[in-house]
Amino acid sequence: MDAVLRRSPLQPLFRLAATRRLAVLAYHGVDDPRVFALQMERLVRVARPVPLAAVEEAVRTGRALPPRSVLVTFDDGDRTVLTEGLPVLARLGIPAAAFVVTDLVGGDQPFWWTEAAFLASRGGTARALADCPPGDAVRRMKTLPDGECRTALAELRQSARARAPRQEQLTPADLLTLTRNGVAVGNHTAGHPCLDRCEGGTVRDEIRRAHEALTGWLGGEAPTAFAYPNGNVDPRADAELRCLGYRTGFLFDHRHDRLLPPHPLRISRLRVNSTTGRDRFDTILSGLHPAVHHLRGGS
């Protein structure tokens, strides 16, 4: 299907339209450094990589970004962004932004969804997941109220046959290394809950704790960009971000945005990963893949 889309007569039309839109690529870790390098090499040939600061400047001044602008972003703060992604970005001169889950910085606790998937696959059970196949546990947990999700994770930990493997996380020093090499660091909450499933006090605490931690680690330079965990927006989060002086907020909706984003705290992003092949990568950049994805009912 990817090859068919890339070779379809619609691809040139979508590619032309994409020159007048902002593409924000949303990665997580860099699992395949070779493919990621090919993607970034392709990017510098067909697009104009821009830094987060340029997007924020466009929002501040009301002047649109240049045609073919692309911002590369990473969610969660997986350590491979530093070890595998940064060398590629630095070699090609591509700026980027990394949105970090601050409760994990400096430790070896795995991401909660990685841990939950492992525990469910090792016989872990929870009352809220009683009728849920192990492979669907994380998807179900993301739909639960935050308190129930946390309870389910605790029950999985108690009932599984094995503990989840540790996962080395970024350190405060690593965050400084990223910022000094063209990767802006932004807020992705303290613990990565789905904010629309949280109580109001939790929304505020998650955003503020992460904001304060990042400000301290970055030498007093407060973050000004936020990525909504799981892409789940919440008006209470918007209000908190405005109060703290945030300039941009990013979704996870697999769409392009305008070269002058009309809603700075809800900027669309395109889902991609480091294993995405050339055909799909090109149709994601053009917007053809997102159009087909949404036409088929994808969210």
Side-chain angles (χ1 to χ4, degrees), residues 35-46:
V35 173
F36 180 72
L38 292 174
Q39 292 171 349
M40 294 299 100
E41 289 165 1
R42 177 72 175 159
L43 195 65
V44 297
R45 289 198 298 270
V46 303

Side-chain angles (χ1 to χ4, degrees), residues 255-277:
R255 300 178 188 275
H256 283 79
D257 213 308
R258 300 180 191 175
L259 290 172
L260 180 58
H263 305 293
L265 290 180
R266 299 192 178 190
I267 298 174
S268 289
R269 289 191 295 172
L270 299 161
R271 301 170 188 163
V272 65
N273 59 58
S274 65
T275 61
T276 299

Side-chain angles (χ1 to χ4, degrees), residues 1-7 276-281 283 289:
M1 176 61 75
D2 292 332
V4 170
L5 284 179
R6 182 167 172 261
R7 290 163 177 76
T276 299
R278 163 72 183 275
D279 291 331
R280 178 168 295 191
F281 187 75
T283 58
H289 181 276

Side-chain angles (χ1 to χ4, degrees), residues 9 17 28 30-31 42 84 106 117 125 130 134 143 156 179 201 217 249-250 264 292:
H28 287 89
V30 180
D31 300 315
R42 177 72 175 159
E84 307 295 345
T125 59
T143 69
L156 288 172
T179 60
W217 292 330
F250 292 89
V292 172

Side-chain angles (χ1 to χ4, degrees), residues 211-287:
H211 181 82
E212 291 165 5
L214 289 172
T215 301
W217 292 330
L218 300 176
E221 189 75 24
T224 56
F226 181 83
Y228 298 87
N230 206 51
N232 294 27
V233 298
D234 187 280
R236 298 166 301 175
D238 282 12
E240 193 65 36
L241 294 171
R242 289 190 181 95
C243 180
L244 291 171
Y246 279 72
R247 299 171 191 148
T248 50
F250 292 89
L251 309 178
F252 197 63
D253 55 349
H254 206 46
R255 300 178 188 275
H256 283 79
D257 213 308
R258 300 180 191 175
L259 290 172
L260 180 58
H263 305 293
L265 290 180
R266 299 192 178 190
I267 298 174
S268 289
R269 289 191 295 172
L270 299 161
R271 301 170 188 163
V272 65
N273 59 58
S274 65
T275 61
T276 299
R278 163 72 183 275
D279 291 331
R280 178 168 295 191
F281 187 75
D282 277 8
T283 58
I284 287 174
L285 282 178
S286 74

Side-chain angles (χ1 to χ4, degrees), residues 20 22 48 50-67 69 248 258-262 264 267:
R20 300 186 295 274
L22 170 63
R48 184 196 297 262
V50 297
L52 175 63
V55 178
E56 295 188 338
E57 180 69 5
V59 167
R60 186 185 69 81
T61 63
R63 291 195 293 269
L65 289 158
S69 289
T248 50
R258 300 180 191 175
L259 290 172
L260 180 58
I267 298 174

Side-chain angles (χ1 to χ4, degrees), residues 90-136:
R91 172 170 64 85
L92 296 172
I94 298 175
F99 297 97
V100 177
V101 180
T102 57
D103 279 355
L104 304 181
V105 171
D108 64 354
Q109 175 70 24
F111 299 118
W112 75 256
W113 55 94
T114 302
E115 182 181 12
F118 178 90
L119 296 173
S121 72
R122 298 304 192 279
T125 59
R127 285 168 293 178
L129 306 175
D131 60 344
C132 183
D136 292 336

